[in-house]
Amino acid sequence: MSPPNSLKQATAPSAGTRRWQGQIEVGQILTVASSEVVISLNKTIIRDNKLHLAQIGTILKILTSDSIVVAMVSSLEIGATDDDGLNDGCMAKLNILGEITTNPTTRETKFFRGVRTYPVLNEAVYTMSPSDLQLIFARERSECIDIGRLQQDGSIVAKVRTDDMLSKHFAIIGSTGSGKSCTVALVLQAILRSNPAGHIVLFDPHNEYSKSFGDLAEVITGETLDLPIWMFDFVETVELLTSEIEEHAREEEEILHDAILKAKRLFERAMQRGEITSQVKLDDIEHELQRASHISLDSPVPYRIRDVVKLIHHDMGKLENNSNLQPYKRLKRRIEMLIADPRYAFIFRNQAKPQALESIMGRIFRLPVNGKPISILDFSSIPSETLNVVVSVVSRLAFELASWSERQIPILLVCEEAHRYIPRDPKLGFHATRRIISRIAKEGRKYGVSLGIISQRPSELEPSTLSQCSTIFSMRLTNEVDQNFVRAAVPDGATELLTFLPSLGTAEAMVFGEAVNLPMRVLLNNLPEEYRPHSSSASFSQLWRRDTSTPELMAKVYGSWKSRSRNPEHHQTAPVPTQPAPGQVQGQPHHSQGHIPVAQHQGAPVRPTTPAHPNSKAQALSDVRNLLNAAFHRDS
């Protein structure tokens, strides 16, 4: 089939047909290099005030004997010699990006990156026609998403190839207020429109995106998230449970290693024999727990945190450890404080009857999709101290799920505010997250895991992660350090085009990389008001017109602050490690009123109290709570 007329016009013409109707000659070539040319703009362009035809970022074409060389204006300067010998002309530097040529066998006209036939000196340079731009940017046979219109020609739809963008990772970067969050929502909505059975996980540190996807999203908050500690690998567990002091953490890590491995085997033994693990005498089964088992330290099998505490307490009582009890005490005390903190409830809840792995994974990664292809993990109520661990665990689970499914379940992880948990400076910590995100960036495409890196400070990101993103959506960047960092990561040879990033308008972006034929300056589509992310800025001028600090509001604020929960009146804290009453089967309520909530932690560790006798007035709620709290909070 012969190509349409619009594409025929883009073929390389013979010498007698170079001046096409509607094309404007903007200048002639002065110098030619391997990747750039310098042209002198025509005097008529300057005199007629048409310099906008060659403004920075404009795509121009140079006609050769058998192709059309495509180049983009990267800089302008005054000083070219005109026909009268005066230096009052204008020069432009163009980056060579590729060529339009016709395959001699198939007669198909296409745009190709790279150049086989270079232009010659004094050759004319022309503006691009709409049909030329259409050929480069809009004629796509692969699956694409529509993100906006070309700034150079608003009639041309800006398309991004979906598979190239996802399989090789992408990044959306821009200063605060540049429209970065709206761009994230716009891109993801465009993906979901054509891929209703996708699997997208969006890390949302500030609760910005909860309304951006309507009924397509499963919003998971800190109050509804269930990410039990038994799903952590050992590195992640150590980062959460041990001290921040490196020397102390090394001592506690050795203790935790044995305790967790025994707790997993103890839980499996209890499930097989129908025993209550906390009632088992550890001295009687110590040798059995030491024997080889198919359960390893990183196996995703349940264990109970109270068994870990009991094992640590048991090891403290051994004669050979009496000389160095401090690591045991520190570790036991830290675990108890974390359990008592309601902000960590999503890690320690459902200890009595752990949820199945299938249920937890299914909700986070949308398995099955059930009409909600994206899950939004709202971290606004999750303590910043554990943000690292949560991102690390979810990212690792995504990698393992995609790996074990043999690429049958591709997953996209979108990391909003990525510089917070993938920092450039290793001294800031986040070792577990850096480790797994770095692995996904390097190996994820082989297993079907894609990364979307979102950041307003790319210079604070771990460099190798951003460099693995083959497609970059760059919004306005005002910080010179950030601009230089992006310049080093841009996968195209048009890095000089980034010099005008500070002047980009809101909802305007430069798109570089594998998912587009050429770097393009795009006016992004407008996002409907009801789907725009929540603004992260407070309205000072409106809120300061009247006193909003009412007693009702402040009571709510202080209540949430004290309870470390956004909804203190509805919040159920995780149970403290407990010792079941005699005759009670673990997992069944001891009191007729059902689940017994533990008092909310107010900043100090819960102190042990004297346990009541099982046959005394333990039916009272306070007595039962004291009984439960006492079992694993005895001083050594």
Side-chain angles (χ1 to χ4, degrees), residues 159-233:
K159 294 185 177 181
V160 178
R161 289 187 293 275
T162 308
D163 286 337
D164 286 340
M165 180 179 71
L166 296 181
S167 64
K168 302 173 185 177
H169 315 309
F170 69 95
I172 300 177
I173 55 180
S175 301
T176 301
S178 62
K180 175 171 52 63
S181 298
C182 286
T183 303
V184 174
L186 175 69
V187 170
L188 295 183
Q189 286 180 13
I191 293 173
L192 293 177
R193 271 195 297 271
S194 55
N195 300 275
H199 304 279
I200 301 177
V201 179
L202 171 58
F203 300 139
D204 184 7
H206 303 300
N207 187 25
E208 292 183 87
Y209 299 96
S210 58
K211 70 171 186 175
S212 296
F213 303 94
D215 295 336
L216 295 178
E218 174 77 9
V219 180
I220 304 174
T221 66
E223 285 74 22
T224 60
L225 175 64
D226 189 1
L227 198 64
I229 194 169
W230 57 264
M231 296 187 70
F232 292 26
D233 68 12

Coordinates of all heavy atoms in Angstrom, one line a residue, residues 159-233:
K159 N 2.2 12.0 21.7 CA 2.0 10.6 22.1 C 3.2 10.0 22.7 O 4.4 10.3 22.3 CB 1.6 9.7 20.9 CG 0.2 10.1 20.3 CD -0.2 9.1 19.2 CE -1.6 9.5 18.7 NZ -2.0 8.5 17.6
V160 N 3.0 9.1 23.7 CA 4.1 8.4 24.4 C 3.9 6.9 24.3 O 2.8 6.5 24.6 CB 4.3 8.8 25.8 CG1 5.4 8.1 26.5 CG2 4.5 10.3 25.9
R161 N 4.9 6.2 23.8 CA 4.7 4.7 23.7 C 4.7 4.1 25.1 O 5.6 4.2 25.8 CB 5.8 4.1 22.8 CG 5.7 4.5 21.4 CD 6.8 3.7 20.5 NE 8.1 4.2 20.9 CZ 8.7 5.2 20.3 NH1 8.1 6.0 19.4 NH2 9.9 5.5 20.6
T162 N 3.6 3.4 25.3 CA 3.3 2.8 26.7 C 4.4 1.8 27.1 O 4.9 1.8 28.1 CB 1.9 2.2 26.8 OG1 1.0 3.2 26.3 CG2 1.6 1.8 28.2
D163 N 4.6 0.8 26.2 CA 5.5 -0.3 26.6 C 6.9 0.2 26.7 O 7.6 -0.3 27.6 CB 5.4 -1.4 25.5 CG 4.2 -2.2 25.6 OD1 3.5 -2.2 26.6 OD2 3.8 -2.8 24.5
D164 N 7.4 1.1 25.9 CA 8.7 1.6 26.0 C 8.9 2.4 27.3 O 9.9 2.4 28.0 CB 9.1 2.5 24.8 CG 9.4 1.7 23.6 OD1 9.6 0.5 23.7 OD2 9.3 2.2 22.5
M165 N 7.8 3.1 27.7 CA 7.9 3.9 28.9 C 7.9 3.1 30.1 O 8.7 3.3 31.1 CB 6.7 4.9 28.9 CG 6.7 5.8 30.2 SD 5.3 6.9 30.3 CE 3.9 5.7 30.6
L166 N 7.1 2.0 30.1 CA 7.0 1.2 31.3 C 8.1 0.2 31.5 O 8.6 -0.1 32.6 CB 5.6 0.5 31.4 CG 4.4 1.4 31.4 CD1 3.1 0.6 31.5 CD2 4.5 2.3 32.7
S167 N 8.5 -0.5 30.4 CA 9.4 -1.5 30.5 C 10.8 -1.0 30.8 O 11.6 -1.8 31.4 CB 9.5 -2.3 29.1 OG 10.0 -1.5 28.1
K168 N 11.1 0.2 30.5 CA 12.4 0.8 30.8 C 12.4 1.9 31.8 O 13.3 2.7 31.9 CB 13.0 1.3 29.5 CG 13.2 0.2 28.4 CD 13.6 0.8 27.1 CE 13.6 -0.3 26.0 NZ 14.0 0.2 24.6
H169 N 11.3 2.0 32.6 CA 11.1 2.9 33.7 C 11.0 4.4 33.1 O 11.4 4.7 32.0 CB 12.3 2.9 34.7 CG 12.7 1.5 35.0 ND1 11.8 0.5 35.5 CD2 13.9 0.8 35.0 CE1 12.4 -0.6 35.7 NE2 13.7 -0.4 35.5
F170 N 10.4 5.2 34.0 CA 10.2 6.6 33.6 C 10.3 7.5 34.9 O 10.2 7.0 36.0 CB 8.9 6.9 32.9 CG 7.6 6.7 33.8 CD1 7.0 7.8 34.4 CD2 7.1 5.4 33.9 CE1 5.9 7.6 35.2 CE2 6.0 5.3 34.7 CZ 5.4 6.3 35.3
A171 N 10.5 8.8 34.7 CA 10.6 9.7 35.8 C 9.8 11.0 35.4 O 9.8 11.4 34.3 CB 12.0 10.1 36.1
I172 N 9.1 11.6 36.4 CA 8.5 12.8 36.3 C 9.0 13.8 37.3 O 8.9 13.5 38.5 CB 6.9 12.7 36.5 CG1 6.4 11.7 35.4 CG2 6.2 14.0 36.4 CD1 4.9 11.5 35.6
I173 N 9.7 14.8 36.9 CA 10.4 15.7 37.8 C 10.0 17.1 37.5 O 9.6 17.5 36.4 CB 11.9 15.6 37.7 CG1 12.3 15.8 36.2 CG2 12.4 14.2 38.1 CD1 13.8 15.7 36.0
G174 N 10.0 18.0 38.6 CA 9.6 19.4 38.4 C 9.6 20.0 39.8 O 9.3 19.4 40.8
S175 N 9.8 21.3 39.8 CA 9.7 22.1 41.0 C 8.3 22.2 41.6 O 7.4 21.9 40.8 CB 10.3 23.5 40.8 OG 11.6 23.5 40.3
T176 N 8.2 22.5 42.8 CA 6.9 22.7 43.4 C 6.1 23.7 42.7 O 6.6 24.8 42.4 CB 7.0 23.1 44.9 OG1 7.8 22.0 45.6 CG2 5.7 23.2 45.6
G177 N 4.8 23.4 42.4 CA 4.0 24.4 41.7 C 4.0 24.3 40.2 O 3.4 25.1 39.5
S178 N 4.9 23.4 39.6 CA 5.0 23.3 38.2 C 3.9 22.4 37.5 O 3.9 22.3 36.3 CB 6.4 22.7 37.8 OG 6.6 21.4 38.3
G179 N 3.1 21.7 38.4 CA 2.1 20.8 37.9 C 2.5 19.4 37.8 O 1.9 18.6 37.1
K180 N 3.5 19.0 38.7 CA 4.0 17.7 38.7 C 3.0 16.7 39.1 O 2.9 15.6 38.5 CB 5.3 17.7 39.6 CG 5.9 16.3 39.8 CD 7.2 16.4 40.6 CE 7.0 17.2 41.8 NZ 6.1 16.6 42.8
S181 N 2.3 16.9 40.2 CA 1.3 16.0 40.7 C 0.2 15.7 39.6 O -0.3 14.6 39.4 CB 0.7 16.4 42.0 OG 1.7 16.5 43.0
C182 N -0.3 16.8 39.0 CA -1.3 16.7 38.0 C -0.8 15.9 36.8 O -1.5 15.1 36.2 CB -1.8 18.0 37.5 SG -2.8 18.9 38.7
T183 N 0.5 16.0 36.5 CA 1.1 15.2 35.4 C 1.1 13.8 35.8 O 0.8 12.9 34.9 CB 2.5 15.7 35.1 OG1 2.5 17.1 34.8 CG2 3.1 15.0 33.9
V184 N 1.4 13.4 37.0 CA 1.4 12.0 37.5 C 0.0 11.5 37.3 O -0.2 10.4 36.7 CB 1.8 11.9 38.9 CG1 1.7 10.5 39.4 CG2 3.3 12.4 39.1
A185 N -1.0 12.2 37.7 CA -2.4 11.7 37.6 C -2.8 11.6 36.1 O -3.4 10.6 35.7 CB -3.3 12.7 38.3
L186 N -2.4 12.5 35.3 CA -2.7 12.5 33.9 C -2.1 11.3 33.2 O -2.8 10.6 32.4 CB -2.2 13.8 33.2 CG -2.3 14.0 31.7 CD1 -3.8 14.1 31.3 CD2 -1.5 15.1 31.2
V187 N -0.8 11.0 33.4 CA -0.2 9.9 32.8 C -0.8 8.6 33.2 O -1.0 7.7 32.4 CB 1.4 10.0 33.1 CG1 2.0 8.7 32.7 CG2 2.0 11.2 32.4
L188 N -1.0 8.4 34.5 CA -1.6 7.2 35.0 C -3.0 7.0 34.6 O -3.4 5.9 34.2 CB -1.5 7.1 36.6 CG -0.1 7.1 37.2 CD1 -0.2 7.0 38.7 CD2 0.8 6.0 36.6
Q189 N -3.8 8.1 34.5 CA -5.1 7.9 34.0 C -5.1 7.5 32.5 O -5.9 6.7 32.1 CB -5.9 9.3 34.1 CG -6.3 9.6 35.5 CD -7.1 10.9 35.6 OE1 -7.5 11.5 34.6 NE2 -7.2 11.4 36.8
A190 N -4.2 8.1 31.7 CA -4.1 7.7 30.3 C -3.7 6.2 30.2 O -4.2 5.5 29.3 CB -3.1 8.6 29.6
I191 N -2.8 5.8 31.0 CA -2.5 4.3 31.0 C -3.7 3.5 31.3 O -3.9 2.4 30.6 CB -1.3 4.1 32.0 CG1 0.0 4.8 31.5 CG2 -1.0 2.6 32.1 CD1 1.1 4.7 32.5
L192 N -4.4 3.8 32.4 CA -5.5 3.0 32.8 C -6.7 3.0 31.8 O -7.4 2.0 31.8 CB -6.0 3.5 34.2 CG -5.0 3.2 35.3 CD1 -5.6 3.8 36.6 CD2 -4.7 1.8 35.5
R193 N -6.9 4.1 31.1 CA -7.9 4.1 30.1 C -7.8 3.0 29.1 O -8.8 2.4 28.6 CB -8.0 5.5 29.4 CG -8.9 6.5 30.1 CD -9.2 7.7 29.3 NE -8.0 8.4 28.9 CZ -7.5 9.4 29.6 NH1 -8.1 9.8 30.7 NH2 -6.4 10.0 29.2
S194 N -6.6 2.7 28.7 CA -6.4 1.7 27.7 C -5.9 0.4 28.3 O -5.8 -0.6 27.5 CB -5.4 2.2 26.6 OG -4.2 2.6 27.2
N195 N -5.7 0.4 29.6 CA -5.2 -0.9 30.2 C -6.0 -1.1 31.5 O -5.5 -0.9 32.6 CB -3.8 -0.8 30.6 CG -2.9 -0.6 29.3 OD1 -2.5 -1.6 28.7 ND2 -2.6 0.6 29.0
P196 N -7.3 -1.4 31.4 CA -8.2 -1.5 32.6 C -7.8 -2.7 33.5 O -8.4 -2.7 34.6 CB -9.6 -1.7 32.0 CG -9.3 -2.3 30.7 CD -8.0 -1.8 30.2
A197 N -7.0 -3.6 33.1 CA -6.6 -4.7 34.0 C -5.1 -4.6 34.4 O -4.5 -5.6 34.6 CB -6.8 -6.0 33.3
G198 N -4.7 -3.4 34.6 CA -3.3 -3.1 35.0 C -3.1 -3.4 36.5 O -4.0 -3.7 37.3
H199 N -1.9 -3.4 36.9 CA -1.5 -3.5 38.3 C -0.5 -2.4 38.7 O 0.7 -2.5 38.5 CB -0.8 -4.9 38.6 CG -1.7 -6.1 38.1 ND1 -2.7 -6.6 38.9 CD2 -1.6 -6.8 37.0 CE1 -3.2 -7.6 38.2 NE2 -2.6 -7.7 37.1
I200 N -1.1 -1.3 39.3 CA -0.3 -0.2 39.6 C -0.4 0.1 41.1 O -1.4 0.0 41.7 CB -0.8 1.1 38.9 CG1 -0.7 0.9 37.3 CG2 0.0 2.3 39.2 CD1 -1.3 2.0 36.5
V201 N 0.8 0.3 41.7 CA 0.9 0.7 43.1 C 1.5 2.1 43.2 O 2.6 2.3 42.7 CB 1.7 -0.3 43.9 CG1 1.8 0.1 45.4 CG2 1.1 -1.7 43.8
L202 N 0.8 3.0 43.8 CA 1.2 4.4 43.9 C 1.5 4.7 45.4 O 0.6 4.6 46.3 CB 0.1 5.3 43.4 CG 0.3 6.8 43.6 CD1 1.7 7.3 43.0 CD2 -0.8 7.6 43.0
F203 N 2.8 5.0 45.7 CA 3.2 5.5 47.0 C 2.8 6.9 47.2 O 3.4 7.8 46.5 CB 4.7 5.3 47.3 CG 5.1 3.8 47.1 CD1 6.3 3.5 46.5 CD2 4.4 2.8 47.7 CE1 6.7 2.2 46.4 CE2 4.8 1.5 47.5 CZ 6.0 1.2 46.9
D204 N 1.9 7.3 48.1 CA 1.4 8.6 48.2 C 1.7 9.1 49.6 O 0.9 8.9 50.6 CB -0.1 8.6 48.0 CG -0.8 9.9 48.0 OD1 0.0 10.9 48.1 OD2 -2.0 10.0 47.9
P205 N 2.8 9.8 49.8 CA 3.2 10.3 51.2 C 2.3 11.3 51.8 O 2.3 11.5 53.0 CB 4.6 10.8 51.0 CG 5.1 10.3 49.7 CD 3.8 10.2 48.8
H206 N 1.6 12.1 51.0 CA 0.8 13.2 51.5 C -0.7 13.2 51.2 O -1.4 14.2 51.3 CB 1.4 14.5 50.9 CG 2.8 14.7 51.2 ND1 3.4 14.8 52.4 CD2 3.9 14.9 50.3 CE1 4.7 15.0 52.4 NE2 5.0 15.0 51.1
N207 N -1.2 12.0 50.9 CA -2.6 11.9 50.6 C -3.1 12.9 49.5 O -4.1 13.6 49.6 CB -3.5 12.0 51.8 CG -4.9 11.7 51.6 OD1 -5.3 10.9 50.7 ND2 -5.8 12.3 52.4
E208 N -2.4 12.9 48.4 CA -2.7 13.8 47.3 C -3.6 13.1 46.2 O -4.4 13.8 45.6 CB -1.4 14.2 46.6 CG -0.5 15.1 47.4 CD 0.7 15.6 46.6 OE1 0.6 16.6 45.8 OE2 1.7 14.9 46.6
Y209 N -3.5 11.8 46.1 CA -4.1 11.2 44.9 C -5.4 10.4 45.2 O -5.9 9.6 44.3 CB -3.1 10.3 44.2 CG -1.9 11.0 43.8 CD1 -0.7 11.0 44.5 CD2 -1.9 11.6 42.5 CE1 0.4 11.7 44.1 CE2 -0.7 12.3 42.1 CZ 0.4 12.3 42.9 OH 1.5 13.0 42.4
S210 N -5.9 10.5 46.4 CA -7.0 9.6 46.8 C -8.3 9.8 45.9 O -9.1 8.9 45.8 CB -7.4 9.8 48.3 OG -7.7 11.1 48.5
K211 N -8.4 11.0 45.4 CA -9.6 11.3 44.6 C -9.3 11.3 43.1 O -10.2 11.5 42.3 CB -10.3 12.6 45.0 CG -9.4 13.8 44.6 CD -10.2 15.1 44.9 CE -9.5 16.3 44.4 NZ -10.2 17.6 44.5
S212 N -8.0 11.1 42.7 CA -7.6 11.3 41.3 C -8.1 10.2 40.3 O -8.0 10.4 39.1 CB -6.1 11.5 41.2 OG -5.7 12.6 41.9
F213 N -8.5 9.1 40.9 CA -8.8 7.9 40.0 C -10.2 7.4 40.2 O -10.6 6.4 39.6 CB -7.8 6.8 40.2 CG -6.4 7.3 39.9 CD1 -5.6 7.7 41.0 CD2 -5.9 7.4 38.6 CE1 -4.3 8.2 40.7 CE2 -4.6 7.8 38.4 CZ -3.8 8.2 39.4
G214 N -11.0 8.1 41.0 CA -12.4 7.7 41.3 C -12.5 6.3 41.7 O -11.8 5.8 42.6
D215 N -13.4 5.5 41.1 CA -13.7 4.2 41.5 C -12.6 3.2 41.0 O -12.7 2.0 41.4 CB -15.1 3.7 41.0 CG -16.2 4.5 41.6 OD1 -16.0 5.0 42.7 OD2 -17.3 4.6 41.0
L216 N -11.7 3.6 40.3 CA -10.6 2.7 39.8 C -9.6 2.4 40.8 O -8.7 1.6 40.6 CB -10.0 3.3 38.5 CG -10.8 3.5 37.3 CD1 -10.0 4.2 36.2 CD2 -11.4 2.2 36.8
A217 N -9.6 3.2 41.9 CA -8.5 3.1 42.9 C -9.0 2.4 44.2 O -10.1 2.6 44.7 CB -7.9 4.4 43.2
E218 N -8.1 1.5 44.7 CA -8.2 1.0 46.1 C -7.3 1.8 47.0 O -6.1 1.7 46.9 CB -7.8 -0.5 46.1 CG -7.8 -1.1 47.4 CD -9.1 -1.5 48.0 OE1 -10.1 -1.4 47.2 OE2 -9.2 -1.8 49.2
V219 N -7.9 2.7 47.8 CA -7.1 3.5 48.7 C -6.8 2.8 50.0 O -7.8 2.4 50.7 CB -7.8 4.9 48.9 CG1 -7.0 5.8 49.8 CG2 -8.1 5.6 47.6
I220 N -5.6 2.6 50.3 CA -5.2 1.9 51.5 C -4.5 2.9 52.4 O -3.4 3.5 52.1 CB -4.3 0.7 51.2 CG1 -4.9 -0.2 50.2 CG2 -3.9 0.0 52.4 CD1 -4.0 -1.3 49.7
T221 N -5.0 3.2 53.6 CA -4.4 4.1 54.5 C -3.7 3.4 55.6 O -3.7 2.1 55.7 CB -5.5 5.0 55.2 OG1 -6.4 4.2 56.0 CG2 -6.4 5.7 54.1
G222 N -3.1 4.1 56.5 CA -2.4 3.5 57.6 C -3.3 2.7 58.5 O -2.9 1.7 59.2
E223 N -4.6 3.2 58.6 CA -5.6 2.5 59.4 C -6.1 1.2 58.8 O -6.6 0.3 59.5 CB -6.8 3.4 59.7 CG -6.5 4.5 60.7 CD -5.6 5.6 60.2 OE1 -5.6 5.7 58.9 OE2 -5.0 6.4 60.9
T224 N -6.0 1.1 57.5 CA -6.5 -0.1 56.8 C -5.4 -1.0 56.2 O -5.7 -2.1 55.7 CB -7.5 0.3 55.7 OG1 -6.8 1.1 54.7 CG2 -8.7 1.1 56.3
L225 N -4.2 -0.5 56.2 CA -3.1 -1.3 55.7 C -2.8 -2.5 56.6 O -2.7 -2.3 57.8 CB -1.9 -0.4 55.5 CG -0.6 -1.1 55.1 CD1 -0.7 -1.7 53.7 CD2 0.6 -0.1 55.1
D226 N -2.6 -3.6 56.0 CA -2.2 -4.8 56.8 C -0.9 -5.3 56.1 O -0.9 -6.0 55.1 CB -3.3 -5.9 56.8 CG -2.9 -7.0 57.7 OD1 -1.9 -7.0 58.4 OD2 -3.7 -8.0 57.8
L227 N 0.2 -5.0 56.7 CA 1.5 -5.5 56.2 C 2.3 -6.1 57.4 O 3.2 -5.5 58.0 CB 2.3 -4.3 55.6 CG 3.5 -4.6 54.7 CD1 3.0 -5.2 53.4 CD2 4.2 -3.3 54.4
P228 N 1.9 -7.3 57.7 CA 2.5 -8.0 58.9 C 4.0 -8.1 58.9 O 4.6 -8.3 57.8 CB 1.8 -9.3 59.0 CG 1.3 -9.6 57.5 CD 1.1 -8.2 56.9
I229 N 4.6 -8.1 60.0 CA 6.0 -8.2 60.1 C 6.6 -9.5 59.5 O 7.7 -9.6 59.1 CB 6.5 -7.9 61.5 CG1 8.0 -7.7 61.6 CG2 6.1 -9.1 62.4 CD1 8.5 -7.1 62.9
W230 N 5.8 -10.6 59.5 CA 6.3 -11.8 59.0 C 6.5 -11.8 57.5 O 7.2 -12.7 56.9 CB 5.4 -13.0 59.4 CG 4.0 -12.9 59.0 CD1 2.9 -12.5 59.7 CD2 3.4 -13.3 57.7 NE1 1.8 -12.6 59.0 CE2 2.0 -13.1 57.8 CE3 4.0 -13.9 56.6 CZ2 1.2 -13.4 56.7 CZ3 3.1 -14.2 55.5 CH2 1.8 -13.9 55.6
M231 N 6.0 -10.8 56.8 CA 6.3 -10.6 55.4 C 7.5 -9.8 55.1 O 8.0 -9.7 54.0 CB 5.1 -9.9 54.7 CG 3.8 -10.7 54.8 SD 2.4 -10.0 53.8 CE 3.0 -10.3 52.1
F232 N 8.2 -9.3 56.2 CA 9.4 -8.6 56.0 C 10.5 -9.6 55.8 O 10.5 -10.7 56.4 CB 9.8 -7.8 57.2 CG 8.8 -6.6 57.5 CD1 7.5 -6.6 57.0 CD2 9.3 -5.5 58.2 CE1 6.7 -5.5 57.2 CE2 8.5 -4.4 58.4 CZ 7.2 -4.4 57.9
D233 N 11.6 -9.3 55.0 CA 12.8 -10.1 55.0 C 13.6 -9.7 56.2 O 13.3 -8.7 56.9 CB 13.5 -10.1 53.7 CG 14.2 -8.7 53.4 OD1 14.2 -7.9 54.3 OD2 14.6 -8.5 52.2

